[in-house]
Amino acid sequence: MNISIILAAGEGTRMKSNIPKVMHKICGKYLIDYVLDACKGAKIEKNVIIVGHGKDKLIDNLKDESIIFREQPIYEGAPYGTGFAVMQAIDVIPDDSIVTILCGDTPLINDDTITRLIEFHRNGNYAGTVLTAILEDATGYGRIVRKESGEIDRIVEQKDANNDELKIKEVNSGMYCFNGKALKEALNKIENNNSQNEYYLTDVVSILNNEGYKVGAYTIDNHIEIYGVNTRVQLAMGEQEMRKRINQKLMLSGVTIIDPNCTYIDEDVIVGRDTIIYPGVVLEGNTIIGENCIIRGNTRIINSKIGNSVEIESSLIEESIVDDKCHLGPYAHLRPKSKLGKNIKIGNFVEIKNATLGDNTKASHLSYVGDADVGCNVNIGCGVVFVNYNGREKFRTTIEDNAFIGSNSNLVAPVHVEEWGYIAAGSTITEDVGKGDLSIARARQVNKAGWVEKKGLNKRK
Ligand code: UD1
Ligand code: CA
């Protein structure tokens, strides 16, 4: 059985945050989510997360059947260190398992790297294998000390290293594979007599060597994968790398992204072939965009589904569904639960909320359509307001197919306009409108002949 242990109990002091470090987000997902995804991709069946600082937030937010939480006691003067963290999982490590240890703050690790690490570990019959990388600047990392034979001897932490050891460029990624039984034996022998008085997981390497076990080191070239997030500056760099990966994957799948450095797409977003995305676009959450769409600058789409051949310009779309061939914007706002049929036009400064609009309907300028069921081929004139709120309750409006709602009308809900109903501009509609009826609800115009001259208002001062 393959299991992982993901370390996430640390305080993350350098983030200067009230949120646990591994719950900071890049490209819309928690740092630790990427580590969990990589484990899933590497076919690891069970994930043990070691929690401590901010544990409640983590446990509440990470719900998955594959996850087991183990708590590291956190109190003034409590034992500390990566070794102590892993000890908390001893009871869930089967003797015959392969245990992959990862950190919750290294989101850039790829699943195929984990797969290859496990393979290397298994094929080499090692009891433990360390994932290493060669870095020009190894500052901060534990250094890999090798024997004359070339095999790994031990890991020395920066703070405990002598001058010769500090010159070593091969570093410990903080990721490992162990055989369950050997790991448990070694954990019981770790001590904290080092410069930080911590229980170092890294000591497991020398312990296994001393016990006569075979220990391996698997070196990767792509060292960005071991990149850890400790500060907000590193968080932004992690985001940049992840954004690059997401955008590259989309471009290689047939999406045009005009400027990938200025296009912000979350991990789980799906975009269809031949869609063109302009700079400044933000696509969030579980958004799905169809094929042949054009999404222009400063559009933000959150958890929404957009059909094929849709054009959107400078608009905000939240939790809504838009069918094929619609035109939105500039400056349209679809609030949650808006559902647009095909070939709909939502123009400048139009707001839609919790409303369904049928095919070919248009609201081209300056309208509010809230809590409504609107049919097909309806024309909603400029400045129409669906008056859905009386200060206490909300009501729905129903407009049937082919109705015409003249400009600057108010539809005071609940109200029902039947098929081909026709509302004159400037009407305030409080009663239902029958099929094919014209409804005018405004004062009749009065023209007073010669009034201006009579009042002497035609002479300017
Ligand atoms: C560790 C390694 C170092 C390696 C580096 C790679 C040790 C002793 N050192 O150092 O060789 O080069 O990672 O990034 O392991 N954590 C807990 N409980 C604890 C302490 C830490 O859960 O008591 C978690 C942290 O939340 C973090 C991870 O373990 O996710 C690593 O801890 P950190 O203190 O950052 O280790 P480094 O000093 O970076
Ligand atoms: Ca540390």
Side-chain angles (χ1 to χ4, degrees):
M1 181 185 204
N2 274 325
I3 75 168
S4 79
I5 298 176
I6 301 171
L7 308 188
E11 197 175 356
T13 328
R14 286 169 286 170
M15 292 297 282
K16 308 251 159 70
S17 175
N18 298 326
I19 303 166
K21 177 165 77 176
V22 299
M23 285 183 69
H24 283 266
K25 287 182 175 178
I26 62 175
C27 298
K29 270 162 70 164
Y30 299 135
L31 296 178
I32 196 167
D33 280 337
Y34 291 98
V35 181
L36 284 163
D37 283 354
C39 288
K40 224 169 250 173
K43 309 235 155 46
I44 290 175
E45 295 117 305
K46 199 157 91 180
N47 301 293
V48 186
I49 302 182
I50 311 296
V51 294
H53 286 280
K55 64 177 160 51
D56 296 336
K57 272 192 189 144
L58 258 160
I59 293 170
D60 284 352
N61 284 282
L62 296 177
K63 292 211 167 77
D64 186 304
E65 282 168 5
S66 75
I67 299 176
I68 300 170
F69 292 98
R70 280 294 173 272
E71 225 180 290
Q72 172 179 346
I74 303 279
Y75 55 86
E76 188 73 35
Y80 196 73
T82 48
F84 183 67
V86 176
M87 286 178 206
Q88 312 310 311
I90 282 183
D91 69 306
V92 283
I93 303 175
D95 280 352
D96 59 353
S97 60
I98 292 183
V99 185
T100 304
I101 298 182
L102 303 156
C103 293
D105 60 0
T106 50
L108 301 176
I109 186 70
N110 278 317
D111 51 8
D112 37 336
T113 300
I114 299 178
T115 304
R116 270 185 258 119
L117 172 67
I118 296 172
E119 260 169 36
F120 180 91
H121 173 82
R122 193 181 276 138
N123 294 341
N125 281 316
Y126 296 111
T129 304
V130 183
L131 185 74
T132 73
I134 316 284
L135 298 187
E136 262 326 298
D137 177 10
T139 313
Y141 287 93
R143 310 296 207 281
I144 304 295
V145 182
R146 289 189 180 255
K147 303 176 198 165
E148 257 167 41
S149 62
E151 271 153 63
I152 179 168
D153 181 36
R154 61 200 165 87
I155 300 171
V156 59
E157 290 305 292
Q158 159 125 357
K159 287 186 178 147
D160 303 294
N162 64 34
N163 281 337
D164 282 342
E165 289 163 343
L166 286 175
K167 287 187 195 131
I168 299 173
K169 290 182 175 171
E170 186 177 11
V171 303
N172 171 23
S173 67
M175 303 180 212
Y176 324 77
C177 265
F178 292 105
N179 291 349
K181 187 154 178 282
L183 173 63
K184 286 190 283 187
E185 275 172 33
L187 284 172
N188 286 321
K189 295 184 178 144
I190 298 180
E191 290 172 14
N192 65 346
N193 48 4
N194 51 55
S195 67
Q196 305 189 82
N197 293 322
E198 284 184 17
Y199 291 88
Y200 290 164
L201 177 61
T202 45
D203 285 353
V204 166
V205 170
S206 50
I207 293 170
L208 289 177
N209 266 322
N210 291 340
E211 302 283 312
Y213 284 106
K214 213 176 149 197
V215 187
Y218 176 62
T219 310
I220 51 164
D221 295 330
N222 184 18
H223 27 87
I224 190 87
E225 289 190 45
I226 71 165
Y227 186 81
V229 173
N230 296 302
T231 65
R232 308 266 181 166
V233 175
Q234 291 172 331
L235 186 72
M237 282 165 73
E239 166 107 20
Q240 212 168 36
E241 169 65 20
M242 193 57 77
R243 189 186 310 141
K244 195 171 102 190
R245 288 186 191 177
I246 293 169
N247 289 348
Q248 266 176 14
K249 196 167 148 202
L250 286 171
M251 289 186 282
L252 292 173
S253 76
V255 178
T256 296
I257 298 180
I258 307 259
D259 184 352
N261 292 322
C262 302
T263 305
Y264 308 86
I265 303 180
D266 283 358
E267 248 267 304
D268 294 331
V269 171
I270 298 171
V271 185
R273 259 168 115 96
D274 290 319
T275 283
I276 303 172
I277 303 178
Y278 280 74
V281 168
V282 182
L283 305 178
E284 296 180 25
N286 300 314
T287 292
I288 301 176
I289 314 263
E291 299 186 355
N292 296 305
C293 293
I294 301 177
I295 317 290
R296 290 185 202 274
N298 300 319
T299 290
R300 178 169 170 230
I301 306 179
I302 306 147
N303 295 326
S304 295
K305 186 168 185 290
I306 312 293
N308 299 322
S309 305
V310 173
E311 273 196 58
I312 305 175
E313 169 128 28
S314 303
S315 293
L316 172 57
I317 299 174
E318 309 169 79
E319 284 159 35
S320 292
I321 299 173
V322 176
D323 208 335
D324 300 348
K325 293 185 181 159
C326 287
H327 274 69
L328 276 70
Y331 317 115
H333 183 185
L334 303 194
R335 288 170 54 201
K337 293 192 193 153
S338 297
K339 190 165 180 283
L340 308 191
K342 291 186 171 53
N343 194 34
I344 285 178
K345 178 162 195 280
I346 304 298
N348 307 254
F349 305 105
V350 174
E351 176 181 338
I352 315 271
K353 186 212 79 174
N354 188 20
T356 306
L357 277 66
D359 297 351
N360 308 311
T361 283
K362 290 186 174 61
S364 298
H365 339 265
L366 302 159
S367 294
Y368 172 59
V369 180
D371 299 315
D373 300 293
V374 180
C376 299
N377 303 306
V378 172
N379 188 84
I380 298 169
C382 177
V384 169
V385 175
F386 285 53
V387 183
N388 59 335
Y389 186 50
N390 67 3
R392 239 172 352 113
E393 297 152 286
K394 302 248 162 95
F395 299 94
R396 280 191 91 76
T397 297
T398 307
I399 314 267
E400 293 185 14
D401 295 350
N402 299 303
F404 181 96
I405 316 297
S407 290
N408 211 29
S409 296
N410 300 307
L411 301 163
V412 182
V415 76
H416 185 151
V417 180
E418 289 181 26
E419 274 182 85
W420 295 102
Y422 198 107
I423 291 172
S427 295
T428 291
I429 300 297
T430 54
E431 279 161 41
D432 293 351
V433 178
K435 181 172 175 181
D437 290 351
L438 167 70
S439 180
I440 310 179
R442 54 167 138 90
R444 186 172 277 282
Q445 182 169 331
V446 179
N447 289 347
K448 299 194 173 175
W451 183 87
V452 173
E453 190 166 22
K454 219 181 292 168
K455 292 279 183 189
L457 293 173
N458 56 344
K459 295 180 188 76
R460 299 271 182 265
K461 273 187 187 156

